[in-house]
Amino acid sequence: MGNTSQTSIDQRFTGKVALVTGGGSGIGRAAALAYARQGAKVAVAGRTLEKLQETVNLIRDTGGMAIAVVADVSVAAEAEAMVKRTSSAFDGLDIVFNNAGTEGAFAPITELTENDFDHVIGINLKGVWLCIKYAAQAMTRNGGGVIVNTSSWLADTAVSGSSAYAASKGGLLAMTRALAVELGPLGIRVNTILPGIIATPMFERLGGNDALADTFAATTPLRRVGQPADVGDVAVWLSSDEARFVTGQNLLVDGGYTVVGI
Ligand SMILES: NC(=O)c1ccc[n+]([C@@H]2O[C@H](COP(=O)([O-])OP(=O)(O)OC[C@H]3O[C@@H](n4cnc5c(N)ncnc54)[C@H](O)[C@@H]3O)[C@@H](O)[C@H]2O)c1
């Protein structure tokens, strides 16, 4: 009986097609693996074929189905082609995890350039908008679907130097509510995860190391920083039928880091 129940949970995306952007590393890779473990056919999208192919190989090694799709999500034609390639390769599109993102430049606003701002907004905000625009068309033809986006704890809590990044990630929260209202009647749910501090290549690029992780862990109620799968597993849950009545929500996945008072 335990086995029967385990099998049904493990195969909850059988026959479903999931597209994961930023799937060549970090949270995206963990999510792609998690979707595949649950039976989904996964399109692993991003800019660098070698990294995407590594994720695809990890999925195929465990018997899953995956393809790599090279695309820059901030370019409309590439976002559109990414959705088309996924839908045609796997004959449909059920789930999109808009996870690709960049930290861009962290600096005082007086030092940030217009290009710095445009770059981070172009990927983190416009890129998600473009992917949803094309995915929603494909999902509407299919009779519905699920969209999950990756925002950040920095859309909820401020640190100095983060104005461009915070604006890009904060915009996703409003976009999530607007699109939940617009796409709900079409059978499409839209939710967003705000990861806390997660040990990924981005964390390392921002100066993250074991000592800094320990510092963050000390003030996090769950006493550790997050791992990519901590976020990927929540994306999977939000994409699953278990979350069928959840839409328009922005969910912090941060071990409680941002709820600490004094
Ligand atoms: N790591 C953290 O602490 C943390 C915290 C909050 C939010 N996030 C968010 O999580 C998401 C995943 O980041 P991560 O931490 O796994 O780091 P990561 O750098 O490993 O992943 C980001 C991925 O996005 C891809 N990407 C960047 N620009 C792209 C573009 N224009 N088109 C397509 N792909 C592009 C990168 O190649 C990379 O694979 C990002 O949106 C990030 O902002 C991370």
Side-chain angles (χ1 to χ4, degrees):
M1 172 151 167
N3 279 347
T4 313
S5 136
Q6 190 62 38
T7 302
S8 67
I9 289 169
D10 282 346
Q11 296 300 314
R12 59 186 155 182
F13 296 135
T14 299
K16 302 280 187 197
V17 178
L19 166 62
V20 178
T21 70
S25 60
I27 292 167
R29 172 170 290 173
L33 289 164
Y35 282 116
R37 257 197 317 275
Q38 310 263 351
K41 294 173 266 188
V42 183
V44 184
R47 291 170 306 181
T48 314
L49 180 60
E50 292 71 26
K51 291 195 323 182
L52 302 175
Q53 201 56 51
E54 281 173 19
T55 305
V56 166
N57 291 342
L58 288 169
I59 290 173
R60 290 182 181 161
D61 286 349
T62 58
M65 283 181 69
I67 55 166
V69 181
V70 176
D72 180 334
V73 296
S74 67
V75 178
E78 295 191 27
E80 183 175 21
M82 172 186 76
V83 168
K84 278 199 177 135
R85 165 111 174 82
T86 303
S87 306
S88 64
F90 290 138
D91 198 23
L93 181 62
D94 303 286
I95 297 160
V96 177
F97 183 31
N98 287 306
N99 165 79
T102 181
E103 65 279 17
F106 272 63
I109 191 167
T110 48
E111 292 171 20
L112 287 174
T113 65
E114 183 181 3
N115 278 348
D116 290 333
F117 184 79
D118 288 346
H119 177 70
V120 80
I121 293 286
I123 295 172
N124 293 357
L125 186 58
K126 189 180 91 171
V128 173
W129 186 86
L130 287 170
C131 293
I132 297 176
K133 173 179 168 64
Y134 298 113
Q137 291 167 4
M139 288 175 173
T140 304
R141 283 194 296 275
N142 277 1
V146 186
I147 290 162
V148 181
N149 308 309
T150 305
S151 173
S152 169
W153 65 285
L154 287 171
D156 186 68
T157 301
V159 300
S160 186
S162 68
S163 62
Y165 182 78
S168 71
K169 294 298 192 179
L172 292 179
L173 309 188
M175 192 199 295
T176 297
R177 289 186 283 264
L179 290 176
V181 171
E182 184 176 317
L183 299 176
L186 303 174
I188 301 170
R189 295 190 294 108
V190 186
N191 293 292
T192 290
I193 297 170
L194 291 72
I197 293 146
I198 314 295
T200 69
M202 183 178 289
F203 177 64
E204 287 169 19
R205 285 195 302 276
L206 288 167
N209 53 29
D210 288 348
L212 192 59
D214 288 346
T215 305
F216 282 122
T219 55
T220 299
L222 294 183
R223 291 291 183 268
R224 64 178 178 87
V225 298
Q227 295 302 315
D230 293 327
V231 180
D233 287 350
V234 175
V236 161
W237 171 71
L238 281 169
S239 306
S240 77
D241 206 39
E242 290 159 39
R244 60 194 166 274
F245 206 48
V246 181
T247 197
Q249 299 306 301
N250 296 307
L251 179 63
L252 274 151
V253 179
D254 69 348
Y257 182 68
T258 55
V259 297
V260 177
I262 48 171

